[in-house]
Amino acid sequence: MKILVTAGSTREPLDPVRYLTNRSSGKMGYALANAGAQLGHHVTLVSGPTNLDIPINVDYVPVQTAQEMFEAVSVHIAGTDAAIFSAAVADYRPASFAENKIKKSEDRVTLELIRNADILGSARAEFSYEGVLVGFAAETENLEENARGKLQRKDCDLVVANDVSRAGIGFDSDHNEVLLVYPDRTDALPVETKDHLAHLIVQAVQELRIRKG
Ligand code: CTP
């Protein structure tokens, strides 16, 4: 199979020295890219900045912002059999970018943000994607219900859901505990290393691909 993976966080710049981002380490996405390559697939990894080594045997496409990730995905998703969106894309970016470093002024300032495009949510309608579509849901409450909402709204074949409020798993950890939420069922997986989970997720994607024909 040809598989596209998005990973890492995005950086939304405010000025030459500051940006908005989030706590995603990129570990799950890189583990997925590695697992895909190890299982013999052709993997393109579109990644925001991380501290991780670039996986071997994958096509690596580095990006910084959500807009750059959107453009890279719109190009590289074509012709793939499956697309796995594990990136923690910033939902908003600063409304303007200051060419020079912003100097401090009043005691209280207000930052205006505007919505970034939903890349996963654009796959079916905007990119006319017909391959296996996998999203991630990082939630702090109502895990399964919120993940199922995303599955339906973004027309996914699978949403991998994890509870980011729990200590010791998820963000920056080497372990995770996820629900695999499908249109017709939910599979709860036990706590696993991200490497092992990545293999299980790629195997689930292989099965979805076979079922899609
Ligand atoms: N995603 C994306 N582009 C965005 C935002 C999210 O591709 N601009 C993808 C993520 O990679 C992940 C999934 O969408 O696969 C997570 O969606 P999320 O932003 O949590 O979903 P929403 O439906 O926007 O819900 P929320 O209200 O929780 O923000």
Side-chain angles (χ1 to χ4, degrees), residues 126-153:
E126 273 205 52
F127 309 148
S128 304
Y129 191 61
E130 292 182 353
V132 174
L133 191 60
V134 181
F136 271 69
E139 306 292 345
T140 55
E141 56 185 357
N142 306 328
L143 180 60
E144 185 173 0
E145 187 189 327
N146 283 334
R148 191 160 292 288
K150 277 170 203 181
L151 179 92
Q152 286 161 355
R153 275 199 306 283

Side-chain angles (χ1 to χ4, degrees), residues 3 20-21 24 26 30 50 55 63 66 75 80 86-87 96 105 120-121 141 158 162 165 171 175 184 186 199 201 207:
I3 305 177
L20 301 180
T21 191
S24 171
Y30 278 51
T50 73
V63 297
V75 170
T80 63
S86 70
S96 60
S105 52
L120 172 61
E141 56 185 357
L158 167 63
N162 70 309
S165 67
F171 286 134
H175 292 78
D184 56 348
T186 298
H199 276 84
I201 293 166
E207 280 158 30

